[in-house]
Amino acid sequence: MDVHVVVAPVFGTNCCVVVADVERPDGRRDCVVVDAGAGTAAGVAQVVDTHGLVPRAVLATHGHVDHTWDAADVCGTYGVPLRLHAADVYRVSDPFGTIGLGGHLDAPATAVSDALVQALTDFGRTPRDYRAPFAVEDFEGPVADLVAGDVRLRAVHAPGHTEGSTLYLVPGATGPGVVLSGDVLFAGGVGRTDLPGADVDAMLATLRDVVGALEPELGVVPGHGPTTTVRHELATNPFLGG
């Protein structure tokens, strides 16, 4: 499957459009959108139109608002649900309260929320502009095989950054494919564990047992920053013993 990346202007979130290999009778291909961060809806629409795609779902690697801000827009445009792990569903209806924004909207309570509010302000938005998607569907368990039209992904629970953080494994047409790692794994780093709902011990277990067990030849598209490979991170990332 092909993966097109649209980088959000807010916090540089990597929004991925994952395209099925199978062509429909009308010549179009199904796709899913992963991590529709703030300001990505227009870029997603351009990818969809340029490549003749049919969105079947919006997915989130986790429930932080920099990964879900445009989910309502994309879901509404294409009439599809937002899907994410059950443990992070609660974040979708109150994304700012769940990262420690005091009074839920009125006063930033942490450096993270303060930076996010400033980034949104620079983009011409405020926390009060957020809208939740019209339909949210969850999945559970350590591993879930997700089907959305002709797109088939494997969701692997990877808690630590948030309770419901998830890796999405995208099979390659002829090779090992790609893992969309959200804020679990970055090029040269890993997700932070000092936010509400994060857990250091869970993150350490995820890095050891989940990331450490990934196929080394997999490409990695993280939630922010440049792409990498599992092999490179296992060899060089100081948080993985590299």
Side-chain angles (χ1 to χ4, degrees):
M1 284 188 276
D2 293 331
V3 178
H4 301 273
V5 179
V6 177
V7 180
V10 177
F11 273 23
T13 303
N14 289 326
C15 172
C16 297
V17 182
V18 180
V19 184
D21 295 322
V22 179
E23 189 172 283
R24 293 154 41 105
D26 62 3
R28 306 175 74 190
R29 296 179 189 269
D30 289 342
C31 71
V32 297
V33 178
V34 183
D35 285 351
T40 60
V44 168
Q46 183 175 12
V47 171
V48 167
D49 293 345
T50 298
H51 296 278
L53 306 179
V54 180
R56 294 298 190 181
V58 175
L59 310 180
T61 57
H62 62 293
H64 282 162
V65 70
D66 57 319
H67 292 254
T68 62
W69 179 279
D70 272 14
D73 191 346
V74 178
C75 288
T77 296
Y78 301 107
V80 299
L82 172 66
R83 303 179 70 180
L84 75 167
H85 195 279
D88 264 20
V89 167
Y90 79 101
R91 295 178 179 275
V92 176
S93 60
D94 183 18
F96 291 94
T98 57
I99 60 169
L101 190 63
H104 297 268
L105 290 175
D106 297 323
T110 71
V112 172
S113 58
D114 192 24
L116 178 57
V117 171
Q118 184 59 56
L120 288 168
T121 300
D122 293 343
F123 184 58
R125 302 289 189 274
T126 74
R128 295 185 185 280
D129 295 321
Y130 174 80
R131 297 293 180 269
F134 71 94
V136 178
E137 298 179 0
D138 64 45
F139 52 85
E140 297 183 286
V143 177
D145 290 320
L146 305 183
V147 178
D150 292 324
V151 180
R152 288 165 170 77
L153 305 178
R154 174 158 289 186
V156 180
H157 191 208
H161 180 65
T162 66
E163 306 93 327
S165 286
T166 300
L167 308 180
Y168 292 111
L169 301 181
V170 181
T174 58
V178 173
V179 57
L180 310 183
S181 63
D183 288 2
V184 173
L185 177 67
F186 303 122
V190 299
R192 59 192 300 161
T193 55
D194 60 339
L195 301 176
D199 186 298
V200 173
D201 290 337
M203 177 63 89
L204 291 174
T206 285
L207 296 175
R208 181 187 66 241
D209 300 332
V210 179
V211 175
L214 293 173
E215 166 61 48
E217 301 309 315
L218 284 171
V220 179
V221 181
H224 308 267
T227 59
T228 182
T229 66
V230 172
R231 182 180 298 280
H232 182 75
E233 296 311 307
L234 290 175
T236 65
N237 192 314
F239 297 94
L240 296 175

